[in-house]
Amino acid sequence: MMKIKIDGKDVDLSVRGNKPDSLYDFISNDIVNFIPKGRVIKDIYLNGTKFDELLIDDGKAKALRLTEDGELGIITMSSNDLILESISAINNYFNDLSKNLSKVSDLLRVGNDKDGFNDFAADLKGITAFVQIMDKLAPFLNIDYSTYTYKEKTIKAYFDDLETVLSKILETQRSHDYTMLADIIEFEMEPLLKVWQDVLESFKSRI
């Protein structure tokens, strides 16, 4: 039987009864009954090795059974700490992203669209991930993006601005107008990212 510890304390799995014994079921459904209120999972260790993939890779979590030998260690953090870490991580990412977007626009202007697009494809994935993270942060922050404002503009409006810029980028890619794409990246996308960094800083006042 796998031994499970949360913040160093043993978990008594016998209270689960005859529920499914995959780690996926335990993490998805039952762990909330063992974690102190107001705390969330920060790290997962399997037999002493950090194994956070269990949080995002359903296949790996479903393949492991509670009936197997070993030890699963779970470290928690407060919801507020999670939010602060997420905001800091996004801001750091945006700093790196702004530098890369400048590189992309320069590459496009000199006609090196192949390398420019390769770099930009990764940037777009990162921006998509940012939107997904923001969706998850809303309930933690207790914020309604359609009513919460920053500088007299709602957060939803900033999301709309981002969607508009991304639509313009898609259109210029279709038309192969690389000069226009470089302009949109430099004069619309980069400034918008800086605004978002200010918006994220304003969220900290709610924590």
Side-chain angles (χ1 to χ4, degrees):
M1 176 66 72
M2 186 168 291
K3 179 183 291 185
I4 296 181
K5 291 189 175 184
I6 296 179
D7 294 330
K9 297 180 180 179
D10 291 331
V11 171
D12 181 9
L13 295 178
S14 65
V15 299
R16 296 181 69 247
N18 295 319
K19 292 183 179 180
D21 69 347
S22 75
L23 282 178
Y24 172 82
D25 290 300
F26 176 73
I27 293 172
S28 300
N29 303 313
D30 295 337
I31 200 169
V32 67
N33 298 317
F34 298 97
I35 292 179
K37 186 177 180 180
R39 299 189 70 81
V40 294
I41 297 175
K42 179 182 180 183
D43 297 311
I44 288 184
Y45 293 85
L46 184 61
N47 297 325
T49 301
K50 195 171 183 180
F51 201 32
D52 290 344
E53 293 95 325
L54 289 174
L55 290 173
I56 57 177
D57 191 326
D58 293 351
K60 288 184 178 180
K62 289 176 180 178
L64 293 169
R65 322 302 299 184
L66 295 175
T67 51
E68 296 180 22
D69 291 332
E71 180 174 303
L72 186 74
I74 296 172
I75 306 300
T76 70
M77 65 193 304
S78 72
S79 299
N80 286 352
D81 286 341
L82 172 64
I83 295 169
L84 289 172
E85 281 198 6
S86 298
I87 290 175
S88 294
I90 294 171
N91 269 327
N92 290 336
Y93 169 70
F94 277 172
N95 286 332
D96 293 337
L97 179 59
S98 293
K99 294 176 184 177
N100 196 58
L101 288 177
S102 295
K103 174 186 172 184
V104 168
S105 58
D106 288 342
L107 286 170
L108 292 173
R109 285 198 175 95
V110 298
N112 191 349
D113 53 278
K114 181 179 179 180
D115 288 339
F117 276 131
N118 286 340
D119 286 347
F120 192 51
D123 294 338
L124 289 177
K125 288 182 180 179
I127 293 171
T128 299
F130 156 70
V131 173
Q132 294 172 343
I133 291 171
M134 291 300 293
D135 282 341
K136 293 180 179 179
L137 279 181
F140 283 108
L141 290 166
N142 194 27
I143 284 179
D144 181 348
Y145 290 149
S146 65
T147 59
Y148 182 83
T149 60
Y150 174 74
K151 290 188 175 180
E152 300 181 353
K153 189 171 180 177
T154 68
I155 303 304
K156 182 182 182 304
Y158 288 115
F159 276 118
D160 291 341
D161 291 343
L162 182 59
E163 183 177 348
T164 298
V165 172
L166 292 174
S167 295
K168 288 182 180 180
I169 287 171
L170 181 60
E171 186 59 35
T172 56
Q173 287 178 314
R174 287 173 177 167
S175 63
H176 304 289
D177 189 342
Y178 304 133
T179 300
M180 178 64 74
L181 178 57
D183 286 344
I184 293 172
I185 291 172
E186 180 177 356
F187 300 115
E188 297 188 49
M189 178 63 80
E190 289 188 55
L192 185 55
L193 293 181
K194 289 182 172 59
V195 170
W196 266 110
Q197 287 183 293
D198 292 337
V199 170
L200 290 169
E201 283 299 314
S202 77
F203 285 169
K204 289 183 178 180
S205 65
R206 300 182 60 96
I207 300 172

